[in-house]
Amino acid sequence: MTITCYINNTKQKADSNETILSVLNRIGISIPTLCNMKELSPTGACRLCVVEDAETGELITSCSTPVRENMKIFTHSPEVINARKTIIELLLANHPENCLYCDKSGNCELQKLSEDLNIREKVFYGDLMSRKTDRSSPGIVRDMSKCILCGRCVRICDEILGISAIDLINRGKNTSIETVFQKGLFYSDCIHCGLCVTACPTGAIMAKSSINQVIEKLGNNKTTKSIMIPTTTIANIAVSYNIRKYEDARNMLVAALHSIGFNKVYPMSLFNDFFISEATSIIQNRLKNSPQPLIITDCPAIKKYIQIKEPELVEFLCKIPAPQQIGAKILSMQESTDLLMSVSPCIAHKYEAVQTQNTNKGVPEIDFVLTSDELDKLLKTLGITLPFTRKETPDNPANSDSSAGVFFETKHGITEGIVRELFHRSDLSVQLNRIIEIKPEKDFIEYEFEINKTYYSVACISGIENLVKYKKQILQGNYLFVEVRSCKSGCIDGCGQKLTDSQDSQKRLRKTLSEYDEKTSNNTPGKNPFIKGFYRNNKLGNIF
Amino acid sequence: MKNLKDKTYKTLFIDAVELEKAPQYSKPVEMPHIYVERNTGSIVSGIDATIQYIKKYFDKDENYKLIETGSLGISSFDPVIGIQIHGRPLIFFKNVTFSYVSTILDSILNHILPESDFILGQISHTGLSSWADVPELYQLDIFAKQNRRILKNFGLIQPDFIESYIDYDGYKAFAETITRKTAAEVCNIIEKSGLRGRGGGAFNTGKKWQKALNTGKSQKYFICNADESDPGSFSGRLLAENNPHLVIEGILIGAYAVNARKAFIYIRNTYTLAIERLENALFQAQKAGLTGEDIFGSGINIEIEIFKGPGAYVCGEETALIASMEGERGTPKPKPPYPSEDGLFGQPTVVNNIETVCNVPYILNYGGDEFQKAGLNNSFGTKLFSISGKTDITGVIEIDLGTSVAEIMDICITKQRQPEIKAVHIGGPSGGFIDPDKFSINLDYETAIDNKLGLGSGSFLVLDKTNCIIDITKYFIKFINNESCGKCIPCREGSQRLLEILNRISEKPSEYNKHESLLRFKGVTQLEQISSLMQKTSLCGLGQNAPNTILSGLLRFRQEYEEHIYERQCEANVCRNLKEYYVVVDNCVGCGICAKKCPADAIIGTEHQAHFIIQDRCIKCGVCEASCKFNAIMIK
Amino acid sequence: MEKYISKLPDKVYKHELLSYLQEFQDMFGYIDLSFIEVLSKNSGIPSGKIFGITSFYNQFRFKPKGKFHIQVCEGSSCHVNAEIGLIEDIKKLIKADEKDTSNDGLYSLEIIPCMGACSQGPVISINGKFHTKVSKEDIKKIFSDLNL
Ligand SMILES: Cc1cc2nc3c(=O)[nH]c(=O)nc-3n(C[C@H](O)[C@H](O)[C@H](O)COP(=O)(O)O)c2cc1C
Ligand code: SF4
Ligand code: SF4
Ligand code: FES
């Protein structure tokens, strides 16, 4: 039902089911919020979004109150501003005063709010918060003294994932965010998807940084050092520094990394090719009859999620490890290196690197995993300015890749690669660049194709919460396979890519990768010379 | 429906209960009947030992009857026993700890009155020869000044026997309601009576019921809120413990009126005796056909279940209470939606305070007009107040809404002692202070709000000169700070800041710099600023009402705040960390006067040498400073 | 305890959580991690969440009770009638905080909002035995008389 309301004395139309906040957003009035989350029902916890009901003079939360017919609202009356300001001042009273040393500085919503509300002086003096820092996880640090208890991380972990590795504990002044029996994230059900890192408005939950250790290792001239860089990281750099072409960004990055002491730099595309090749082999066997569902993913978070939340799906999970671990195996067959590092668009791979199956007598095969953001910071710390002046080609064997391996890391990249490779191996003369149309807004897509007069269909699910939503389809859909990615845009919007977390830059990122893909003729792993050579000596389908 | 109209209601139970079992104090007895008032308060005061001694006294002689009843309501009389012997009316004795049992029994069984210290009063009755010079129980000031409707017969009713309740006309209202009235009629009667929720919100109960009754959904719930966790309020416990059937009757009528087939009693888990008695009472009610299926052939089923609240003050708030029943953290949710539309398990749910519920049978028995004979303005009926603090009596009293503070004072404290009273704190954590100048105000809902008070669930804490307003405020704010659910920022952080500020002004500065003194001085304005934020923006009543204590304190006892801040002086000498006395060694001649005068033996030293104050012992009375002729004692 | 845990029904509903926890707490005096894990398995509610819920309420403690379980009333009546710093004294004496158990396992402390004996305040109870109108001096004596 359409109703009329008056906002700051101007007449507005609204739907009677709408909240005040949604009306305000629609007409372009911005209201500060902390606890409100798109897609989740309002909790009304932060009280920042209050507006004044002109009739009663009461302050009401716009996020949770529905509009009424003839309602009159003031969104920025002195009383409202004053209340919002006092709320933030209360939060600042016991917030650790070390913004200068905080990783979040510049990106912090609390900082931004106090700036926007023009709080330029400390009003209340509280006893500074002393809560524990949880460093147990390899990927996430939770410095709870910075937590403002907005509850966003908790709700993401609960309402989106259903994992609840962290929850609010205790009550009143002792409320805090904790894992079960306060044992630490590593010992909890945390799947290291990084959603809470993205959700947290302050520096309370952050990706764990290994920059300082890496810098120390880099200073040692006697050792050999190698690094693998994902294609999304390269695209991330390209977009952040306005480098048009993927290959330029890649080569600049290679040169830059060489210059700070890495002997070998390997784009991940080669190992993505391996992933595709291996997966394709498994699937080729299923072409005749595909009795069981098959879930394919390169995402360690999804794998752990399935183990914890949907154990009955475990048997359908494709066992191929993620490209970085494939890389570690392939490289160890090639030549030895003292230090092997990898970069990742998110923190899940930090966790993957220390999972027992990826360690050798307790020593991880990969020594450090940095996020894209950390890599950027590392370069800055070591005096590199991007765009870099020099370009160098990637090191052997990663100088050989296919564009499917480059495109692999975006949404439906796995499927695209596998289908291409299937066509390629079936000697079909189809146009291989861009088989599946990209639909950024869709969480679930199906694609149907034909090989030798038989039709097959595959599906892609993006977003971890959609695994449960589309579980029935996975189990009963008769798909050749289903690709599952925990982030909505593949790896592009991983939590380690803060540099480019706007919708717009994600679009540009995707474009950078697909433009490269569309013009490259080496477009499927089967056409990658190194892969071809490798499989002459090793049998497909059983090296891992 | 069977035609039950012409049956008298007691015959409805005839098969299930043996009414003749119920002892009746108005009838003559053969063997001695000993009434022991067993409830939480009296257990702590030692009633169990008293009971043991009574049994021991009679030993093998089985010619006596021990009757376990509930409380009269006044816990400072505990342990209370009543004795009725042949030909004599029931007479009550107070403070009968075990050591006095035999003395009292010795004399009374021989028709002689014991020492008057123990005598409370008697309930005379025609045909029984009254005890000479013993006052009538109900004519004692303490009872006569009350208007005991809900508390009627408390102390006589045996909580563990449904017969006893029925004997005092219990379940009459329910039996008549379910057989003769429609749900809508009941809602109407309650609405017209003007009964308002006693849980703090003071919302018209009948209106609330009508709303729930008229929602389309078929599954509905009725919850009796007995999660009384406010410090200083114990009326809910009194009701549940001492007359559980009254609570059940009220709930049954409520559930019937809103068409709920399932009702719950949400009661705090620490109320063990109350839970025990409610459980037992529910069992009996079930046996008597009062709950369960097809009650009295009406075709209506109502089930009542007890939910033991695991303990959190905020779970008294209805949405938090519902969350906790659903197995969640007990945090309040934004309203709307209201529980009457979307409550327990998403179904329409009526939540009513236990005292509200206990008012319902009265209204149905006597009618709305009779109900309205008590009360003032728009606040009808009576209200239970839990009296505690520096009073002569402690316990629950029932008075008309709108009674003035002064009148309550007259009930609970003697005229001579009244001038010592400095303030009354009414309404617990959501209430506020009131000073003697304002003792004339009437405690009805509107006047209370106008005076920055909330009646809350009726706590009435009396403070005298030895209590410090800042300290009591700190006590309540600390409570809020602990009990806030921690969800919304104004309440969680606001109460934390308030507490920090209060601590700051009731302690000496830890370092003597300008910054700290400035903070102390800013204290008062910041208290006001934070209070106003909490009132306006907190999500639930806990945060919204918490500042009442601060604001009423600042309004009526501002001087006390100022003394703390500017003079570092606590008149009640409660805030002992405000200052530190120390000996200026250079000035001290070692005369020893101070050491002699110090009431706490905190000053030591040898003659003619500088003395020394042991801080741990010092009670900050200031005697030493006043007594020193050499200005050798100073304050830090 | 294991026996009790193994008897838990296979399907536990969310609204029953608290009553199971209460039953466990009543029987064993505290909530054990293993119980939360089994509850989580049988109810499908993540253990982190059950911990969050459990820790919200006063009733549940996560450390076994001490040999002497001390309940102290902190009601307003007990507060106004008590000597200043009474509860602090008790805490110091038994070296345990609220909801806590002393390291030697001797004492555990529970602070009760009101024990229902407002006329007798301040009230404390040790293993169910009440002490009324206690002063700081009384406390010392009560504790020194305990049979350790
Ligand atoms: C913090 C807080 C605590 C409350 N505690 C209680 C309580 O202990 N008992 C109660 O009956 N109502 C309590 N209430 C009021 C309830 O939310 C609710 O209004 C009441 O149970 C409705 O019953 P009534 O209409 O009969 O008063 C509390 C409210 C708040 C905000
Ligand atoms: S950790 Fe961050 S997201 Fe979670 S409650 Fe605290 S501030 Fe909010
Ligand atoms: S006002 Fe306090 S108790 Fe109420 S929701 Fe907010 S934090 Fe919780
Ligand atoms: S955004 Fe509305 S209360 Fe937080």
Side-chain angles (χ1 to χ4, degrees), chain B residues 29 46 77 172 174 215 233 310 322 326 348 357 401 425 461 489 519 570 572 589 620:
Chain B
V29 296
F77 293 157
K172 182 166 169 226
F174 175 61
T215 55
S233 142
I322 288 170
E326 288 170 347
V357 164
L401 269 166
H425 190 278
L461 178 67
I489 302 171
L519 280 186
C570 174
V589 296
K620 324 280 159 131

Side-chain angles (χ1 to χ4, degrees), chain B residues 224-245:
Chain B
C224 168
N225 185 349
D227 181 60
E228 180 182 61
S229 316
D230 329 24
S233 142
F234 32 88
S235 48
R237 184 200 302 249
L238 181 89
L239 295 172
E241 244 173 38
N242 301 305
N243 202 352
H245 284 289

Side-chain angles (χ1 to χ4, degrees), chain C residues 9-68:
Chain C
D10 292 342
K11 182 71 201 144
V12 171
Y13 293 96
K14 189 157 189 202
H15 66 269
E16 299 170 340
L17 260 190
L18 288 172
S19 31
Y20 282 116
L21 286 162
Q22 286 176 330
E23 199 173 293
F24 192 90
Q25 164 87 35
D26 285 346
M27 287 179 76
F28 305 104
Y30 76 108
I31 301 293
D32 196 75
L33 178 58
S34 62
F35 184 62
I36 290 199
E37 273 162 1
V38 177
L39 264 185
S40 159
K41 208 170 108 253
N42 296 9
S43 64
I45 302 167
S47 55
K49 195 166 183 170
I50 299 187
F51 181 61
I53 294 166
T54 314
S55 63
F56 186 87
Y57 298 103
N58 289 346
Q59 187 181 5
F60 307 113
R61 40 175 60 234
F62 300 103
K63 276 189 187 175
K65 279 186 189 160
K67 184 174 171 196
F68 297 103

Side-chain angles (χ1 to χ4, degrees), chain A residues 464-495:
Chain A
I464 213 160
E465 69 276 22
N466 293 315
L467 182 76
V468 182
K469 193 164 154 203
Y470 295 109
K471 187 170 149 192
K472 208 166 118 204
Q473 278 87 333
I474 297 178
L475 291 173
Q476 297 161 11
N478 245 328
Y479 296 115
L480 192 55
F481 65 86
V482 182
E483 166 187 340
V484 186
R485 296 307 253 297
S486 68
C487 298
K488 290 261 160 108
S489 312
C491 298
I492 288 180
D493 53 346
C495 63

